[in-house]
């Protein structure tokens, strides 16, 4: 075709060092009359730049730009499909188009190397030389600009009269400008940063957990910590550093982590004699000491846990909470005399993990066992909680609890005297390890939040309620105003005493409407409005964040009703998410239905043989045969094959003689497959 | 003298890389009849090897070896004093002596370089060549061996009849074998490891916090976290990595940390484009984001705290809890509109820190301000809690709370609009930072613990009480035995319900006496004994860990008396430590009394001019004029000059015209000086 050649010669042949900027190229089609020829918009931007549709619309003066279908790629670029598209195809264009270039990309230095789709690397200078041929179509865009959008209508809010005249000197447009359904990853990024949960950090792949998200982590810690202490686990702290000798002791295990290990080689201005690793997980950090401490079967079970951070220097595209180079987690490591005792604990911990998701975060999960291919390297078997993200139709691993068998205890020589007596051989202990990370927060955000901002389940939200005085107008006297404020503060104080995490916003410089938007953005579960009419009627108006449902609550019933409303909200979030997961978890028995069903954003329960080769075949076949989806936001997703998520404990019944969905072997069980994070 | 030359030629002239093993040489004198000539014992061992007197006694068949006085050095080695002693002086010896060599030192590879006192470096091979001339005196000793010591008498324990016949298959000698008064650092190490608070780790300078110490940290966290949240501080988490560009932004500040910063330069098998530092503290990590987040004075105060670990790759001799390369701490970072608001918080936090020491850890502290020389680099002033370790007579910095003024906010451009209006210039915020680390645990251990093991204040100990059935003999019937156990379990269960952290040890394979020693070693604040006579009399016997005081408590009064006894114990620990600190904090007004007073293990309150040059003079002069102490355990201590510890808030009154203790200037205040950790 020539196009690829022309472009390829500009590109580098070798993968450069890790700190490359990834560049995305997206093609949008504006809303056009059916008879007219559309003018496509090509957006070239840093992967990390969110490219909101309103900005694109404004810059091109075109209406409702949406990600283009394959047909447009075929007719306009002579390119087979969206996923095959590369910048080389720009040379094929015969008619008018818009080329929007991210100003942040332009700001890179000339010799910085960027990565285009499919691991193609190019110097920024060369990329812009190439793009210069499209000079007439080209414009530079600051995607961080704020685009005005109409003030959202406050339906169901009776007495919020927004007639304050004071200037809002620092009232900015704070709302979300990206649609969850249209640009999921852009939305996810905005909602986290504008909702003040997280901020981006100047070391790539690392993020700042701001108080709103850290508080959720603290609630999870408190809940889980009590649970594990109730079964005899104690907390401890092992160093973050591991010598290479120790790290590499368990071969199978370290192989899985080696490519992602960060190495300290220098301290002050001296080179260390031997590089020292930062723990990617602590099996090999801890087990030499287990060997030392465990002498007798009376020392068993030994159950230690630590709340810490680990480092996995991933080279894939990082994503807040889901894939980060440093993350917070807990890692439990236990040693037992018998396999039975260890296995019972594995299941107990998995139930606690499911509890974190279902009881605290209102996120439904499916419990099951990982396949041989997906299990923890070096362990006997891995159990898992698997979640589901409706917008992308992808599964997501929630937390894993591993039974390590005697593999590590043999490697590290963790033995006890045989309880039968010293004449019997020594016994290697049975071990488990289990971990839950801040990833849980990302899953929670993706599932519940919406275009108005975060939605946070009340059981884990830092603040559960905000009190906002309403109905103050120009005509309100100072005495009246003061009376409203006092009444609001009384509500706050009563509910605080009742154990509700509540605060009030009594700032007169902002309208109630502005405040409503602000706290909707931040995901405060309920707001409590109180104005002159409410005071008259001895009531407050309570509005739920998740669905704007409105409750009029008598002041006398405050302490009883508010906790109830919060609990109902918590349950409703869970039910809604569960309905969505349940309706997108479908049984498929014929391979021909597999990929189409994936395309409908389902995860699939399929009868399966359990063979690793077949699992790989399923992944490859589901990737190749996929034909893309119109509004898929993550470019990589459509090309991604289905992985096994888990073999659910809760199994549909196999028919006698039922075959594997993919190969000719007999099915051993149903396995859950899906695209995944 | 020739001796030093002879030895010096074996030594290296350059300081090698950092992973050198430090070697100590100690001289002991056995107990000898006054008329007899003593046979000295020279011990050459790794710094990290504890060299208990009982082992030395056993290996040499000599009685009561104690560290030798200067006279012995003079008469025997023709060496002026203990602190001037080097191995070269061995050549001067004319008569019999013992030379004990640490087997762990012998085990080093030949080309390993070791550090002798005073930064003299030598290859292990060369050292042993040199020592080979003393072949006839020389023996290799395994200092890790366990030396039998007589079972400690259980005075005041009435009914513990240790007549169980069952073999104690894994009863080992678990007690402390080093005297706190004679070998303080050996004692400290043993007490931590045998008390199961901490273990040594294979990366030098890093230690494992085992559950017994981590639980103390958790109690401190809980207490302090509630305090700071009550004044509006929120927790957050910032990444552990810092780019060099950001780290180096505040010059004064980074200078203090640069030599100790650990650098990550590699991930997997790829070199990073730029090395990335691990935070030594987070000022420069956090403040760029403070600049971003703080827009209006309404965003103030911003009060964030994080519980994390930081890394300072110190090259000095590490010490558990006190000087470690990675340590756990909390770091608070707050921004305020006014200096007054910031300064009030600095003091509030300092009070909380003093509360951690005094209320939780029963450790008295002196609050004050650091001198210009000792303050936090880059800040305006530093406040501190200073503690005191009686055995070494050294002061120890407890925790510091810094007022940073506007220094960082100017560097990082953290400004808000002027509350007076936009026509007024923008205002730089005022900042504080404050930190408390796991060092507190080391201070607590050093102060309260004794030769029987750990002593842990009840308010922070993981377990507050242990129930031990006693009085079970060979003649006890199964039914009686079972009745005693049931009664003991009833006591445990009642006290657990009453909120006491309690457990029982009902293992019949160990004698009560063995159990008593075990839990004394671990520092359980009280043990509760219950035997047949107690059951008869409806009572238990309670023994306090700290002083073996015995209480007979009527069963009916259990829930009332046990908390009382624990509280009294807590208070007694504090009073005893306070008395010791108070009696060793002396006012000295004449320089001639300064060094002698230091030598008596005092810290000194002296009238002082406040000049840095004078402070340095005091340090130098007190180091040079010091003439050593007989039983000083830490070789480096006698040569150490006195540093300023703080300018106490609680000031003795200066006389009019009173001069500085050292120079001719007028005294501005009393400053507390001392040797320190």
């Amino acid at each position: 075709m020539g196009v690829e050649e022309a472009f390829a010669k500009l590109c580098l042949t070798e993968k450069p060092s890790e700190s490359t900027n990834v560049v995305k190229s997206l093609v949008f089609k504006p809303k056009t009359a059916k008879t007219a020829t559309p003018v496509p918009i090509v957006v070239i931007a840093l992967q990390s730049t969110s490219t909101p549709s309103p900005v694109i619309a404004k810059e091109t003066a075109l209406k409702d730009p949406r990600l283009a279908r394959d047909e447009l790629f075929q007719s306009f670029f002579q390119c087979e499909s969206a996923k095959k598209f590369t910048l080389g195809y720009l040379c094929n264009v015969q008619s008018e188009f818009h080329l929007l270039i991210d100003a942040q990309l332009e700001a890179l230095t000339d010799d910085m190397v960027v990565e285009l789709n499919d691991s193609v690397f190019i110097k920024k200078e060369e990329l812009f030389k190439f793009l210069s041929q499209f000079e007439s179509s080209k414009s530079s865009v600051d995607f961080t600009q704020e685009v005005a959008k109409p003030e959202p209508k406050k339906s169901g809010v009776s007495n919020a009269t927004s007639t304050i005249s004071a200037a809002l000197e620092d009232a900015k447009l704070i709302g979300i400008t990206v649609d969850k359904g249209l640009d999921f990853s852009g939305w996810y990024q905005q909602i986290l940063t504008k909702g003040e949960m997280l901020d981006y950090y100047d070391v790539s792949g690392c993020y700042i957990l701001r108080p709103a998200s850290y508080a959720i982590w603290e609630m999870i810690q408190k809940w889980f910590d009590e649970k594990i202490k109730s079964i005899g686990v104690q907390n401890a702290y092992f160093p973050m550093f591991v010598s290479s000798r120790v790290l590499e002791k368990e071969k199978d295990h370290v192989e899985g982590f080696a490519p992602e290990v960060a190495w300290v080689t220098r301290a002050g201005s001296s080179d260390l004699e031997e590089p020292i690793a930062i723990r990617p997980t602590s099996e090999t950090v801890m087990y030499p000491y287990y060997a030392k401490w465990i002498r007798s079967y009376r020392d068993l079970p030994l159950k230690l846990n630590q709340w810490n951070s680990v480092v996995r220097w991933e080279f894939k595209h990082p994503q807040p909470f889901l894939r980060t180079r440093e993350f917070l987690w807990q890692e439990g490591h236990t040693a037992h005399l018998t396999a039975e005792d260890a296995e019972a604990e594995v299941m107990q911990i998995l139930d606690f993990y499911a509890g974190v998701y279902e009881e605290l975060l209102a996120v439904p999960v499916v419990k099951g066992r990982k396949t041989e291919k997906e299990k923890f390297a070096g362990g006997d078997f891995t159990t898992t909680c698997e979640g589901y993200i409706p917008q992308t139709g992808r599964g997501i691993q929630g937390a894993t609890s591993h039974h390590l068998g005697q593999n590590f205890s043999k490697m590290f020589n963790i033995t006890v005297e045989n309880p039968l007596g010293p004449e019997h051989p020594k016994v290697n202990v049975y071990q488990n390890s289990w971990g839950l990370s801040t990833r849980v927060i990302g899953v929670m955000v993706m599932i519940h939040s919406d275009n108005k901002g975060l939605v946070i389940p009340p059981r884990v939200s830092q603040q559960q309620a905000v009190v906002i005085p309403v109905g103050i107008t120009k005509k309100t006297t100072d005495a009246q105003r003061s009376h409203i404020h006092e009444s609001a503060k009384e509500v706050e104080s009563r509910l605080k005493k009742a154990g509700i995490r509540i605060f009030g916003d009594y700032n007169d410089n902002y309208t109630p409407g502005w405040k409503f938007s602000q706290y909707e953005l931040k995901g405060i579960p309920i707001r409590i409005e109180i104005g002159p009419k409410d005071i008259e009627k001895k009531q407050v108006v309570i509005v739920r964040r998740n669905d704007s449902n409105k409750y009029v609550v008598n002041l006398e019933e405050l302490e009883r009703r508010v906790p109830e409303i919060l609990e109902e909200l918590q349950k409703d979030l869970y039910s809604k998410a569960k309905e969505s997961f349940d309706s997108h978890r479908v049984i498929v028995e014929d391979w021909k239905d597999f990929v189409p069903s994936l395309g409908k954003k389902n995860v699939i329960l399929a009868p399966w043989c359990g063979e690793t080769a077949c699992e790989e075949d399923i992944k490859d076949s589901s990737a190749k045969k996929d034909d893309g989806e119109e509004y898929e936001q993550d470019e990589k997703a459509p090309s991604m094959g289905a992985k096994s998520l888990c073999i659910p404990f809760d199994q549909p019944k196999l028919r006698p003689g039922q075959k594997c969905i993919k190969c000719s072997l007999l099915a051993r069980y149903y396995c859950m497959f899906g695209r995944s994070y």
Side-chain angles (χ1 to χ4, degrees), chain A residues 67 122 198 261 282 310 344 436 543 666:
Chain A
L67 280 171
I122 188 169
L198 171 140
V261 169
S282 301
V310 288
L436 176 102
V543 182
L666 273 183

Side-chain angles (χ1 to χ4, degrees), chain A residues 153-160 452 464-470 491 495 502-503 512-521 523-530 540-546 548-551 562 565-566 569:
Chain A
K153 293 245 180 358
K154 296 291 145 211
S155 61
V157 177
S158 56
N159 42 17
K452 286 198 283 185
Q464 298 174 312
V466 55
V467 180
I468 301 175
V470 296
V491 167
L495 287 169
I502 191 169
F503 67 106
W514 190 89
K515 291 177 187 174
F516 297 169
S517 300
Q518 165 128 357
Y519 300 118
E520 280 169 359
L521 178 61
I524 311 294
I526 56 172
R527 70 163 177 264
I528 302 179
E529 305 170 11
I530 182 162
V540 294
V541 174
I542 295 183
V543 182
R544 304 210 308 187
R545 166 63 186 88
N546 58 323
S548 300
N549 272 1
K550 201 175 91 178
Y551 300 75
V562 169
I565 293 169
L566 289 170
L569 199 171

Side-chain angles (χ1 to χ4, degrees), chain A residues 7-20:
Chain A
F7 189 62
K9 69 171 192 249
L10 299 171
C11 296
L12 303 173
T13 47
E14 265 182 59
K15 179 170 169 29
S17 80
E18 59 85 33
S19 71
T20 302

Side-chain angles (χ1 to χ4, degrees), chain A residues 364-379:
Chain A
V365 290
V366 167
K367 291 187 285 185
R369 190 163 54 81
K370 285 282 186 189
T371 62
E372 282 304 297
K373 180 168 183 288
E374 296 291 334
K375 77 175 188 188
F376 184 64

Side-chain angles (χ1 to χ4, degrees), chain A residues 186-197:
Chain A
W187 168 87
Y188 180 61
Q189 179 181 323
Q190 259 204 14
I191 208 160
L192 293 176
T193 52
K194 293 199 171 182
E196 299 187 356
M197 287 209 113

Side-chain angles (χ1 to χ4, degrees), chain A residues 124-150:
Chain A
K124 183 248 178 178
E125 186 178 14
E126 295 296 330
L127 173 63
F128 277 77
K129 256 187 220 160
F130 170 77
L131 294 175
S132 64
Q133 60 185 298
F134 311 109
E135 200 55 46
S136 62
S137 315
K138 201 171 138 228
S139 53
S140 167
V141 178
D142 170 15
F143 282 105
T144 64
Q145 65 184 278
E146 276 154 0
V147 178
K149 66 169 194 180

